[in-house]
Amino acid sequence: MTLTSIIFYVFAVLAVVSAGFILFTKNILYAAFALLATFLAVAAMYVFAGADFVAITQIIIYVGGILVLILFGVFLTTKPKGQQFFFTGSFGAKRAWVLTIALAGILIFVFYRINFSELPWISIAHKFNQVNQGTSIQKIGTNLLTTEVMPFEVIAVLLMAALMGAAYIASSVIRKENKK
Amino acid sequence: MIPLQHYLIVGALLFCLGMAIFLSKKNAIAALMGIELMLNAANINLVAFSQYDADKLAGQMFSLFVIVVAAAETAVGLAIIILVYSHYKTANLDEVNNLKEPK
């Protein structure tokens, strides 16, 4: 076992343990900070898969953007005492456990049954030693402006529309409170 | 070189934990955290398979688009949660159960 694989497994365990902490904690603020740990560990795992640009994007957008938004949401919607954060009564936590454990069992069973190195494109990549290990920024930049330019533009319009819509929906709260 | 299976298992565990959080939590923001975890788990799978596609990097491109959609989804979701909180004075999903103004 080399040093890199030990570091990878440390990050993998950190991601799963902090995600489990979100499930079992009663304090929503601790859950938000555990989500931070999960996002950072997942970003580290992207680096091990040769996806440096995706890892940096993950840190910038998830940790710098989405997590700050979630923290603002926590601050704006949680009462100072009596944090209502435990399990729901309407769906039933037990049914959720059963579904979750069944799905995890099926997925892990399937992953051990499938021989991935027999898939044609993976075996070809292994044979010609084309497994991606280096930097990927140049290829991503070229792809974004050639083959993927259409989804790139569509996602830009989607993001703008969603952010404008979010600002409009949230500002209607402020308008209603000003009226009172 | 980390085996592909190990990425997929971490992705599967994160997805299942995200699903459990989404299904079993009372708080709307906690449900949103579960959705983020599920999207992250899908991204792990895309990036892991993308190692073997060094020319086109289709998995990494798709995971970038997933991250952008997740950002848009969180922004709209939190705006709706803040609106719901100002209306019902709670973010508890069990108590948010009528569309019309209660009389």
Side-chain angles (χ1 to χ4, degrees), chain A residues 8-9 23 25 28 39 42 45-46 48-51 58 62 69 73-74 76-77 79 85-90 100 104 111-112 114 116 126 130 132-133 136 139-140 143-144 162 166 172-173, chain B residues 1-2 5-10 14 16-17 20-21 23-27 29-30 36-37 40 43 47 49 51-52 54 56 60-61 63 68-70 72 75-76 78-79 82-83 85 89 94:
Chain A
F8 173 84
Y9 292 119
L23 183 57
T25 182
I28 190 161
F39 286 158
V42 170
M45 288 171 60
Y46 290 162
F48 284 98
Q58 160 102 357
Y62 269 106
L69 268 179
V74 170
L76 286 174
T77 64
K79 287 166 189 152
F85 190 57
F86 222 47
F87 299 119
T88 173
S90 60
T100 304
F111 293 153
Y112 271 105
I114 297 177
F116 285 103
H126 272 303
Q130 279 178 336
N132 182 29
Q133 288 294 332
S136 61
K139 280 174 199 157
I140 286 178
N143 277 351
L144 272 182
S172 70
V173 178
Chain B
M1 185 81 204
I2 316 286
Q5 265 96 344
H6 296 180
Y7 285 102
L8 299 183
I9 286 170
V10 175
L14 280 184
C16 293
L17 284 168
I21 291 167
L23 288 177
S24 67
K25 285 292 185 183
K26 253 183 187 174
N27 192 303
I29 293 174
E36 297 302 327
L37 272 183
N40 247 299
N43 271 351
V47 167
F49 276 111
Q51 292 175 86
Y52 304 100
K56 283 158 77 184
Q60 289 191 27
M61 305 302 303
S63 69
V68 175
V69 172
V76 175
L78 278 170
I82 288 171
L83 200 65
Y85 182 75
K89 303 285 175 253
D94 289 348

Coordinates of all heavy atoms in Angstrom, one line a residue, chain A residues 8-9 23 25 28 39 42 45-46 48-51 58 62 69 73-74 76-77 79 85-90 100 104 111-112 114 116 126 130 132-133 136 139-140 143-144 162 166 172-173, chain B residues 1-2 5-10 14 16-17 20-21 23-27 29-30 36-37 40 43 47 49 51-52 54 56 60-61 63 68-70 72 75-76 78-79 82-83 85 89 94:
Chain A
F8 N -5.7 8.6 0.0 CA -7.0 8.5 -0.6 C -8.0 7.8 0.4 O -9.1 8.3 0.5 CB -6.9 7.6 -1.9 CG -8.2 7.3 -2.5 CD1 -8.8 8.2 -3.3 CD2 -8.9 6.1 -2.2 CE1 -10.0 8.0 -3.9 CE2 -10.1 5.9 -2.8 CZ -10.7 6.8 -3.6
Y9 N -7.6 6.7 1.0 CA -8.6 6.1 1.9 C -8.9 6.9 3.1 O -10.1 6.9 3.6 CB -8.1 4.7 2.3 CG -8.1 3.8 1.1 CD1 -6.9 3.2 0.7 CD2 -9.2 3.5 0.4 CE1 -6.8 2.4 -0.4 CE2 -9.2 2.7 -0.8 CZ -8.0 2.2 -1.1 OH -8.0 1.4 -2.3
L23 N -26.3 12.8 9.2 CA -27.5 12.0 9.4 C -27.8 11.9 10.9 O -29.0 11.9 11.3 CB -27.3 10.6 8.8 CG -28.5 9.7 8.8 CD1 -29.7 10.3 8.2 CD2 -28.1 8.4 8.1
T25 N -26.6 13.8 13.7 CA -26.5 14.9 14.6 C -27.9 15.6 14.8 O -28.7 15.5 13.8 CB -25.5 16.0 14.2 OG1 -25.5 17.0 15.1 CG2 -25.8 16.6 12.8
I28 N -28.3 21.5 13.6 CA -28.2 21.7 12.2 C -26.9 22.5 11.8 O -26.4 22.4 10.7 CB -29.5 22.4 11.6 CG1 -29.5 22.4 10.1 CG2 -29.6 23.8 12.2 CD1 -30.8 22.7 9.5
F39 N -17.5 17.9 1.6 CA -17.2 18.5 0.3 C -15.7 18.6 0.1 O -15.2 18.3 -1.0 CB -17.8 19.9 0.2 CG -19.2 20.0 0.0 CD1 -20.0 21.1 0.4 CD2 -19.9 18.9 -0.5 CE1 -21.3 21.2 0.2 CE2 -21.3 19.0 -0.7 CZ -22.0 20.1 -0.3
V42 N -14.4 15.1 -0.7 CA -14.7 14.7 -2.1 C -13.8 15.4 -3.1 O -13.4 14.8 -4.1 CB -16.2 14.9 -2.3 CG1 -16.5 14.7 -3.8 CG2 -17.0 14.0 -1.5
M45 N -10.7 13.6 -3.3 CA -10.8 12.4 -4.1 C -10.8 12.7 -5.6 O -10.3 11.9 -6.3 CB -12.1 11.6 -3.7 CG -12.0 11.0 -2.3 SD -13.5 10.4 -1.8 CE -13.8 9.2 -3.1
Y46 N -11.3 13.8 -6.0 CA -11.3 14.2 -7.4 C -9.8 14.3 -7.8 O -9.5 14.0 -8.9 CB -12.0 15.5 -7.6 CG -13.5 15.5 -7.5 CD1 -14.2 16.7 -7.3 CD2 -14.2 14.3 -7.6 CE1 -15.6 16.7 -7.2 CE2 -15.5 14.3 -7.4 CZ -16.2 15.5 -7.3 OH -17.6 15.5 -7.2
F48 N -7.3 12.7 -6.8 CA -6.7 11.4 -7.0 C -7.2 10.7 -8.3 O -6.6 9.9 -8.8 CB -7.0 10.4 -5.8 CG -6.2 10.7 -4.6 CD1 -6.7 11.5 -3.6 CD2 -4.9 10.2 -4.5 CE1 -6.0 11.8 -2.5 CE2 -4.2 10.5 -3.4 CZ -4.7 11.3 -2.4
A49 N -8.4 11.2 -8.8 CA -8.8 10.7 -10.1 C -8.3 11.5 -11.3 O -8.9 11.4 -12.4 CB -10.4 10.6 -10.1
G50 N -7.4 12.4 -11.0 CA -6.8 13.2 -12.1 C -7.7 14.3 -12.6 O -7.6 14.8 -13.7
A51 N -8.6 14.8 -11.7 CA -9.6 15.8 -12.1 C -9.3 17.1 -11.3 O -10.1 17.4 -10.4 CB -11.0 15.4 -11.9
Q58 N -15.1 22.4 -7.3 CA -15.8 21.9 -6.2 C -15.6 22.8 -5.0 O -16.5 23.2 -4.3 CB -15.4 20.5 -5.9 CG -15.7 20.0 -4.5 CD -16.9 19.1 -4.5 OE1 -17.6 18.9 -5.6 NE2 -17.3 18.6 -3.4
Y62 N -18.9 24.7 -4.2 CA -19.6 24.1 -3.1 C -19.2 24.8 -1.8 O -20.1 25.2 -1.0 CB -19.3 22.6 -3.0 CG -20.3 21.8 -3.8 CD1 -19.9 21.2 -5.0 CD2 -21.5 21.6 -3.4 CE1 -20.8 20.5 -5.8 CE2 -22.4 20.8 -4.1 CZ -22.0 20.3 -5.3 OH -22.9 19.5 -6.0
L69 N -24.4 29.8 1.3 CA -25.8 29.9 1.2 C -26.6 29.1 2.2 O -27.5 29.6 2.9 CB -26.3 29.5 -0.2 CG -26.3 30.5 -1.3 CD1 -26.7 29.8 -2.6 CD2 -27.3 31.6 -1.0
G73 N -29.1 30.2 5.2 CA -30.4 29.6 5.4 C -30.6 29.1 6.8 O -31.7 29.3 7.4
V74 N -29.6 28.5 7.4 CA -29.7 28.0 8.7 C -29.9 29.2 9.7 O -30.7 29.2 10.6 CB -28.4 27.2 9.1 CG1 -28.4 27.0 10.6 CG2 -28.3 26.0 8.4
L76 N -31.1 32.1 9.0 CA -32.4 32.8 8.8 C -33.6 32.0 9.2 O -34.7 32.6 9.5 CB -32.5 33.2 7.4 CG -31.6 34.4 6.9 CD1 -31.8 34.6 5.4 CD2 -32.0 35.6 7.6
T77 N -33.5 30.7 9.3 CA -34.7 29.9 9.5 C -34.7 29.1 10.8 O -35.6 28.2 11.0 CB -35.0 29.0 8.3 OG1 -33.9 28.0 8.3 CG2 -35.1 29.7 7.1
K79 N -34.8 28.9 14.9 CA -35.1 29.6 16.1 C -34.0 29.4 17.1 O -33.3 28.3 17.1 CB -36.4 29.1 16.7 CG -37.6 29.6 15.9 CD -38.8 28.9 16.3 CE -39.9 29.3 15.2 NZ -40.9 28.2 15.1
F85 N -34.6 19.4 14.5 CA -33.8 18.8 13.4 C -33.8 17.3 13.4 O -33.1 16.7 12.6 CB -32.3 19.3 13.6 CG -31.4 18.9 12.5 CD1 -31.7 19.4 11.2 CD2 -30.3 18.2 12.7 CE1 -30.9 19.1 10.2 CE2 -29.5 17.9 11.6 CZ -29.8 18.4 10.4
F86 N -34.6 16.7 14.2 CA -34.5 15.2 14.2 C -35.5 14.6 13.2 O -36.0 15.3 12.3 CB -34.7 14.6 15.6 CG -33.7 13.5 15.8 CD1 -32.4 13.7 15.5 CD2 -34.1 12.3 16.3 CE1 -31.5 12.7 15.7 CE2 -33.2 11.3 16.5 CZ -31.9 11.5 16.2
F87 N -35.7 13.3 13.3 CA -36.3 12.6 12.2 C -37.8 12.9 12.0 O -38.5 13.2 13.0 CB -36.1 11.1 12.3 CG -34.7 10.8 12.4 CD1 -34.1 10.2 13.4 CD2 -33.9 11.1 11.3 CE1 -32.8 9.9 13.5 CE2 -32.5 10.8 11.3 CZ -32.0 10.2 12.4
T88 N -38.3 12.8 10.8 CA -39.6 13.2 10.5 C -40.6 12.1 10.9 O -40.2 10.9 11.1 CB -39.8 13.4 9.0 OG1 -41.1 13.6 8.7 CG2 -39.3 12.2 8.2
G89 N -41.8 12.5 11.1 CA -42.8 11.5 11.4 C -43.7 11.1 10.2 O -44.3 10.0 10.2
S90 N -43.7 11.9 9.2 CA -44.7 11.7 8.1 C -44.2 10.6 7.2 O -45.0 9.7 6.8 CB -45.0 13.0 7.4 OG -43.8 13.4 6.8
T100 N -32.6 2.7 2.4 CA -31.2 3.1 2.3 C -30.2 1.9 2.3 O -29.3 1.7 1.5 CB -30.8 4.1 3.4 OG1 -31.7 5.2 3.3 CG2 -29.4 4.6 3.2
A104 N -27.9 0.5 -0.6 CA -26.4 0.4 -0.4 C -25.9 -1.1 -0.7 O -24.9 -1.3 -1.4 CB -26.0 0.8 1.0
F111 N -21.2 -3.7 -7.6 CA -19.8 -3.2 -8.0 C -18.8 -4.3 -7.8 O -17.8 -4.4 -8.5 CB -19.4 -2.0 -7.1 CG -20.2 -0.8 -7.3 CD1 -20.4 0.1 -6.3 CD2 -20.8 -0.6 -8.6 CE1 -21.2 1.2 -6.6 CE2 -21.5 0.5 -8.8 CZ -21.7 1.5 -7.8
Y112 N -19.0 -5.3 -6.9 CA -18.1 -6.4 -6.8 C -18.3 -7.4 -7.8 O -17.4 -8.2 -8.2 CB -18.1 -6.9 -5.3 CG -17.1 -6.2 -4.5 CD1 -17.5 -5.3 -3.5 CD2 -15.7 -6.4 -4.7 CE1 -16.6 -4.6 -2.8 CE2 -14.8 -5.7 -3.9 CZ -15.3 -4.8 -3.0 OH -14.3 -4.1 -2.2
I114 N -19.4 -6.9 -11.0 CA -19.0 -6.4 -12.4 C -17.5 -6.4 -12.4 O -16.8 -5.9 -11.6 CB -19.6 -5.1 -12.7 CG1 -21.1 -5.1 -12.7 CG2 -19.1 -4.6 -14.0 CD1 -21.7 -3.8 -12.9
F116 N -14.9 -4.5 -14.1 CA -14.9 -3.2 -14.9 C -13.8 -3.2 -15.9 O -13.9 -2.6 -16.9 CB -14.7 -2.0 -14.0 CG -16.0 -1.7 -13.3 CD1 -16.2 -2.0 -11.9 CD2 -17.0 -1.0 -13.9 CE1 -17.3 -1.7 -11.3 CE2 -18.2 -0.7 -13.3 CZ -18.3 -1.0 -12.0
H126 N -6.4 1.0 -20.6 CA -5.3 0.3 -19.8 C -4.2 -0.2 -20.8 O -3.0 -0.1 -20.5 CB -5.8 -0.9 -19.0 CG -6.3 -0.5 -17.7 ND1 -5.5 0.2 -16.7 CD2 -7.5 -0.6 -17.1 CE1 -6.2 0.4 -15.7 NE2 -7.5 0.0 -15.8
Q130 N -3.4 4.9 -21.4 CA -4.0 6.2 -21.6 C -4.8 6.7 -20.4 O -5.6 7.6 -20.5 CB -4.9 6.2 -22.8 CG -4.2 6.4 -24.1 CD -5.2 6.3 -25.3 OE1 -6.3 5.7 -25.1 NE2 -4.8 6.8 -26.4
N132 N -5.9 8.7 -17.5 CA -5.6 10.1 -17.2 C -5.0 10.3 -15.9 O -5.5 9.9 -14.8 CB -6.9 10.9 -17.3 CG -6.7 12.4 -17.1 OD1 -5.6 12.9 -17.4 ND2 -7.7 13.0 -16.5
Q133 N -3.8 10.9 -15.8 CA -3.1 11.2 -14.6 C -2.7 12.6 -14.5 O -2.6 13.1 -13.4 CB -1.9 10.2 -14.3 CG -2.3 8.8 -14.0 CD -3.0 8.7 -12.7 OE1 -2.8 9.5 -11.8 NE2 -3.8 7.7 -12.6
S136 N -5.8 18.4 -16.5 CA -6.8 18.3 -17.4 C -7.4 19.7 -17.8 O -8.4 19.7 -18.5 CB -8.0 17.4 -16.9 OG -8.5 18.0 -15.7
K139 N -7.5 20.5 -21.7 CA -8.5 19.8 -22.5 C -9.9 20.3 -22.1 O -10.7 20.4 -23.0 CB -8.4 18.3 -22.1 CG -7.3 17.6 -22.9 CD -7.2 16.1 -22.4 CE -5.9 15.6 -22.8 NZ -5.5 14.5 -21.9
I140 N -10.1 20.6 -20.9 CA -11.4 21.1 -20.5 C -11.7 22.4 -21.2 O -12.8 22.7 -21.7 CB -11.6 21.2 -18.9 CG1 -11.7 19.8 -18.3 CG2 -12.7 22.1 -18.5 CD1 -11.7 19.8 -16.9
N143 N -12.5 21.7 -24.8 CA -13.8 21.1 -24.9 C -14.9 22.1 -24.7 O -15.9 22.1 -25.5 CB -14.0 20.0 -23.9 CG -13.3 18.7 -24.4 OD1 -12.9 18.6 -25.5 ND2 -13.2 17.8 -23.5
L144 N -14.8 23.0 -23.7 CA -15.9 23.9 -23.4 C -16.1 24.8 -24.6 O -17.3 25.3 -24.8 CB -15.5 24.8 -22.2 CG -15.9 24.2 -20.8 CD1 -15.5 25.2 -19.8 CD2 -17.3 23.9 -20.8
A162 N -31.9 31.1 -12.9 CA -32.2 30.6 -11.5 C -31.8 31.6 -10.5 O -32.5 31.8 -9.5 CB -31.4 29.3 -11.3
A166 N -34.3 33.3 -7.9 CA -34.0 33.2 -6.5 C -34.1 34.6 -5.8 O -34.7 34.8 -4.7 CB -32.7 32.5 -6.2
S172 N -39.5 39.0 -2.3 CA -40.9 39.2 -2.1 C -41.2 39.1 -0.6 O -42.1 39.7 -0.1 CB -41.7 38.2 -2.8 OG -41.5 36.9 -2.2
V173 N -40.3 38.4 0.2 CA -40.4 38.4 1.6 C -40.2 39.8 2.2 O -40.9 40.3 3.0 CB -39.4 37.4 2.2 CG1 -39.5 37.4 3.7 CG2 -39.6 36.0 1.7
Chain B
M1 N -2.3 3.5 -8.1 CA -3.6 3.6 -8.9 C -4.7 3.0 -8.0 O -4.6 1.9 -7.7 CB -3.4 2.8 -10.2 CG -4.6 2.9 -11.1 SD -4.6 4.5 -12.0 CE -6.3 4.6 -12.4
I2 N -5.7 3.8 -7.7 CA -6.8 3.4 -6.9 C -7.7 2.6 -7.8 O -8.1 3.0 -8.9 CB -7.6 4.6 -6.3 CG1 -6.6 5.6 -5.8 CG2 -8.5 4.1 -5.2 CD1 -5.9 5.3 -4.5
Q5 N -13.4 0.4 -8.4 CA -14.5 -0.1 -7.4 C -14.6 0.8 -6.2 O -15.6 1.1 -5.7 CB -14.3 -1.5 -7.0 CG -15.1 -2.5 -7.8 CD -14.2 -3.1 -8.9 OE1 -13.2 -2.5 -9.2 NE2 -14.6 -4.2 -9.5
H6 N -13.4 1.2 -5.7 CA -13.4 2.0 -4.4 C -14.0 3.3 -4.6 O -14.7 3.8 -3.7 CB -11.9 2.0 -3.9 CG -11.4 0.7 -3.6 ND1 -10.1 0.5 -3.1 CD2 -11.9 -0.5 -3.7 CE1 -9.9 -0.8 -2.9 NE2 -11.0 -1.4 -3.3
Y7 N -13.7 4.0 -5.7 CA -14.5 5.3 -6.0 C -16.0 5.0 -6.0 O -16.7 5.8 -5.4 CB -14.1 5.8 -7.3 CG -12.7 6.5 -7.4 CD1 -11.7 5.8 -8.0 CD2 -12.5 7.8 -6.9 CE1 -10.4 6.4 -8.1 CE2 -11.3 8.4 -7.0 CZ -10.3 7.7 -7.6 OH -9.0 8.3 -7.6
L8 N -16.4 3.9 -6.7 CA -17.8 3.7 -6.8 C -18.4 3.4 -5.5 O -19.6 3.8 -5.2 CB -18.0 2.5 -7.8 CG -17.5 2.8 -9.2 CD1 -17.9 1.6 -10.1 CD2 -18.1 4.0 -9.8
I9 N -17.7 2.7 -4.6 CA -18.3 2.3 -3.3 C -18.4 3.6 -2.5 O -19.5 3.8 -1.8 CB -17.4 1.3 -2.6 CG1 -17.7 -0.1 -3.3 CG2 -17.7 1.2 -1.1 CD1 -16.7 -1.1 -2.9
V10 N -17.4 4.5 -2.5 CA -17.6 5.7 -1.7 C -18.8 6.5 -2.3 O -19.6 7.1 -1.5 CB -16.3 6.5 -1.8 CG1 -16.5 7.9 -1.1 CG2 -15.2 5.8 -1.1
L14 N -22.1 7.6 -0.1 CA -22.5 8.9 0.0 C -23.9 9.1 -0.5 O -24.7 9.9 0.0 CB -21.5 9.9 -0.7 CG -20.2 10.2 -0.1 CD1 -19.4 11.2 -0.9 CD2 -20.5 10.8 1.3
C16 N -26.3 6.9 -0.6 CA -27.3 6.3 0.3 C -27.4 7.2 1.5 O -28.6 7.4 2.0 CB -26.9 4.9 0.7 SG -26.9 3.8 -0.7
L17 N -26.3 7.7 2.0 CA -26.4 8.6 3.2 C -27.2 9.9 2.8 O -28.1 10.3 3.6 CB -25.1 9.0 3.7 CG -24.4 7.9 4.5 CD1 -22.9 8.3 4.7 CD2 -25.0 7.8 5.8
A20 N -30.8 8.9 2.8 CA -31.4 8.8 4.1 C -31.6 10.1 4.7 O -32.7 10.3 5.4 CB -30.4 7.9 5.0
I21 N -30.7 11.1 4.5 CA -30.9 12.4 5.1 C -32.1 13.1 4.5 O -33.0 13.6 5.2 CB -29.6 13.2 4.9 CG1 -28.5 12.7 5.7 CG2 -29.9 14.7 5.2 CD1 -27.2 13.3 5.3
L23 N -34.7 11.7 3.1 CA -36.0 11.1 3.4 C -36.4 11.2 4.9 O -37.6 11.2 5.2 CB -36.0 9.6 3.1 CG -36.0 9.2 1.6 CD1 -35.9 7.7 1.5 CD2 -37.2 9.7 1.0
S24 N -35.4 11.3 5.8 CA -35.7 11.2 7.2 C -35.6 12.4 8.0 O -36.0 12.4 9.2 CB -34.8 10.1 7.8 OG -33.5 10.6 7.9
K25 N -35.1 13.5 7.4 CA -34.9 14.7 8.3 C -36.2 15.6 8.3 O -36.9 15.6 7.3 CB -33.8 15.5 7.8 CG -32.4 14.9 8.1 CD -32.2 15.0 9.6 CE -30.8 14.5 9.9 NZ -30.6 14.4 11.3
K26 N -36.4 16.3 9.4 CA -37.5 17.2 9.5 C -37.3 18.5 8.8 O -38.2 19.1 8.3 CB -37.8 17.4 11.0 CG -39.0 16.7 11.6 CD -39.1 17.2 13.0 CE -40.2 16.4 13.7 NZ -40.2 16.7 15.1
N27 N -36.1 19.0 9.0 CA -35.8 20.4 8.6 C -35.6 20.5 7.1 O -34.9 19.6 6.5 CB -34.5 20.8 9.3 CG -34.3 22.3 9.2 OD1 -34.2 22.8 8.1 ND2 -34.2 22.9 10.3
I29 N -33.8 22.6 5.3 CA -32.4 22.8 4.9 C -31.6 21.5 5.0 O -30.8 21.2 4.1 CB -31.8 23.9 5.8 CG1 -32.5 25.2 5.4 CG2 -30.4 24.0 5.5 CD1 -32.1 26.3 6.3
A30 N -32.0 20.6 6.0 CA -31.3 19.4 6.0 C -31.6 18.5 4.8 O -30.7 17.8 4.3 CB -31.7 18.6 7.3
E36 N -27.6 17.7 -2.0 CA -26.3 18.1 -2.3 C -25.4 16.9 -2.2 O -24.5 16.7 -3.1 CB -25.7 19.2 -1.4 CG -26.5 20.5 -1.5 CD -26.5 21.1 -2.9 OE1 -25.5 20.9 -3.6 OE2 -27.5 21.7 -3.2
L37 N -25.5 16.1 -1.2 CA -24.7 14.9 -1.0 C -24.9 13.9 -2.2 O -24.0 13.3 -2.7 CB -25.0 14.2 0.3 CG -24.2 14.6 1.5 CD1 -24.6 13.8 2.7 CD2 -22.8 14.5 1.2
N40 N -23.2 15.1 -5.2 CA -21.7 14.9 -5.1 C -21.4 13.5 -5.3 O -20.3 13.2 -6.0 CB -21.3 15.3 -3.7 CG -20.4 16.5 -3.7 OD1 -19.3 16.5 -4.3 ND2 -20.8 17.6 -3.1
N43 N -21.3 12.9 -8.9 CA -20.1 13.5 -9.5 C -18.8 12.6 -9.3 O -18.0 12.5 -10.2 CB -19.8 14.8 -8.8 CG -20.5 15.9 -9.6 OD1 -21.0 15.7 -10.6 ND2 -20.5 17.1 -9.0
V47 N -16.5 11.4 -12.4 CA -15.0 11.7 -12.4 C -14.2 10.4 -12.4 O -13.2 10.3 -13.1 CB -14.7 12.6 -11.2 CG1 -13.2 12.7 -11.1 CG2 -15.2 14.0 -11.5
F49 N -15.0 7.4 -13.7 CA -15.0 6.8 -15.0 C -14.3 7.6 -16.0 O -13.8 7.1 -17.0 CB -16.5 6.6 -15.5 CG -17.1 5.3 -14.9 CD1 -18.1 5.3 -14.0 CD2 -16.6 4.1 -15.4 CE1 -18.6 4.2 -13.5 CE2 -17.1 2.9 -14.9 CZ -18.1 2.9 -13.9
Q51 N -11.5 9.0 -15.8 CA -10.1 8.7 -15.9 C -9.7 7.9 -17.1 O -8.6 8.0 -17.7 CB -9.6 7.8 -14.7 CG -9.7 8.4 -13.4 CD -9.4 7.4 -12.3 OE1 -8.2 7.2 -12.0 NE2 -10.4 6.8 -11.8
Y52 N -10.6 7.0 -17.6 CA -10.3 6.1 -18.7 C -10.7 6.8 -20.0 O -10.7 6.1 -21.0 CB -11.1 4.8 -18.5 CG -10.7 4.2 -17.2 CD1 -11.5 4.3 -16.1 CD2 -9.5 3.5 -17.0 CE1 -11.2 3.7 -14.9 CE2 -9.1 3.0 -15.8 CZ -10.0 3.1 -14.8 OH -9.6 2.6 -13.6
A54 N -9.3 9.8 -21.4 CA -8.4 10.9 -21.3 C -8.5 11.9 -22.5 O -8.1 13.0 -22.4 CB -7.0 10.4 -21.2
K56 N -11.5 12.8 -24.4 CA -12.7 13.7 -24.4 C -13.0 14.2 -23.0 O -13.6 15.2 -22.9 CB -13.9 13.0 -25.0 CG -13.8 12.9 -26.5 CD -14.6 11.8 -27.1 CE -16.1 12.1 -27.1 NZ -16.8 11.0 -27.6
Q60 N -15.7 14.4 -16.7 CA -15.4 15.7 -16.0 C -16.2 16.8 -16.5 O -16.7 17.7 -15.7 CB -13.9 16.0 -16.2 CG -13.0 15.0 -15.4 CD -11.6 15.5 -15.4 OE1 -11.3 16.7 -15.4 NE2 -10.7 14.6 -15.3
M61 N -16.5 16.9 -17.8 CA -17.3 18.0 -18.3 C -18.7 17.9 -17.7 O -19.2 18.9 -17.3 CB -17.4 17.9 -19.8 CG -16.1 17.9 -20.6 SD -15.1 19.3 -20.3 CE -16.2 20.6 -20.8
S63 N -19.6 16.5 -14.9 CA -19.6 16.8 -13.5 C -19.5 18.3 -13.3 O -20.1 18.9 -12.3 CB -18.5 16.1 -12.8 OG -17.3 16.7 -13.2
V68 N -22.8 23.2 -11.6 CA -23.5 24.5 -11.8 C -25.0 24.3 -11.6 O -25.6 25.2 -10.9 CB -23.2 24.9 -13.3 CG1 -24.1 26.1 -13.6 CG2 -21.8 25.2 -13.5
V69 N -25.6 23.2 -12.0 CA -27.0 23.0 -11.7 C -27.3 22.9 -10.2 O -28.3 23.4 -9.7 CB -27.5 21.7 -12.5 CG1 -28.9 21.4 -12.1 CG2 -27.4 21.9 -14.0
A70 N -26.3 22.3 -9.5 CA -26.5 22.2 -8.0 C -26.5 23.6 -7.4 O -27.3 23.8 -6.5 CB -25.4 21.3 -7.4
A72 N -27.5 26.4 -8.9 CA -28.7 27.0 -9.2 C -29.9 26.4 -8.3 O -30.7 27.2 -7.8 CB -29.1 26.8 -10.7
A75 N -29.7 27.8 -4.7 CA -30.1 29.2 -4.6 C -31.7 29.2 -4.6 O -32.3 29.9 -3.7 CB -29.5 30.0 -5.8
V76 N -32.3 28.6 -5.6 CA -33.8 28.6 -5.7 C -34.4 27.9 -4.5 O -35.3 28.5 -3.9 CB -34.2 28.0 -7.0 CG1 -35.7 28.0 -7.0 CG2 -33.7 28.8 -8.2
L78 N -33.2 27.6 -1.4 CA -33.1 28.4 -0.2 C -34.1 29.5 -0.2 O -34.6 29.9 0.8 CB -31.7 28.8 0.1 CG -30.9 27.7 0.7 CD1 -29.4 28.1 0.7 CD2 -31.3 27.5 2.1
A79 N -34.2 30.2 -1.4 CA -35.2 31.3 -1.5 C -36.6 30.8 -1.2 O -37.3 31.5 -0.4 CB -35.1 31.9 -2.9
I82 N -36.9 30.2 2.6 CA -37.0 31.5 3.3 C -38.4 32.0 3.2 O -39.0 32.5 4.2 CB -35.9 32.5 2.9 CG1 -34.6 32.0 3.4 CG2 -36.2 33.9 3.4 CD1 -33.4 32.8 2.8
L83 N -39.0 31.9 2.0 CA -40.4 32.3 1.8 C -41.3 31.5 2.7 O -42.2 32.0 3.3 CB -40.7 32.2 0.3 CG -41.9 32.9 -0.2 CD1 -41.6 34.4 -0.1 CD2 -42.2 32.6 -1.6
Y85 N -40.6 29.9 5.4 CA -40.4 30.2 6.8 C -41.1 31.5 7.2 O -41.7 31.6 8.3 CB -38.9 30.4 7.1 CG -38.6 30.6 8.5 CD1 -38.7 29.6 9.4 CD2 -38.2 31.9 8.9 CE1 -38.4 29.9 10.8 CE2 -37.9 32.1 10.3 CZ -38.0 31.1 11.2 OH -37.8 31.3 12.5
K89 N -43.7 30.4 9.7 CA -42.8 30.6 10.9 C -42.2 29.3 11.3 O -41.9 29.1 12.5 CB -43.6 31.2 12.1 CG -44.3 32.5 11.7 CD -43.3 33.7 11.7 CE -44.0 34.9 11.3 NZ -43.7 35.4 9.9
D94 N -42.8 18.7 8.3 CA -44.0 18.0 8.7 C -45.2 19.0 8.9 O -46.3 18.6 8.8 CB -43.8 17.2 10.0 CG -42.9 16.0 9.8 OD1 -42.8 15.7 8.6 OD2 -42.5 15.5 10.8

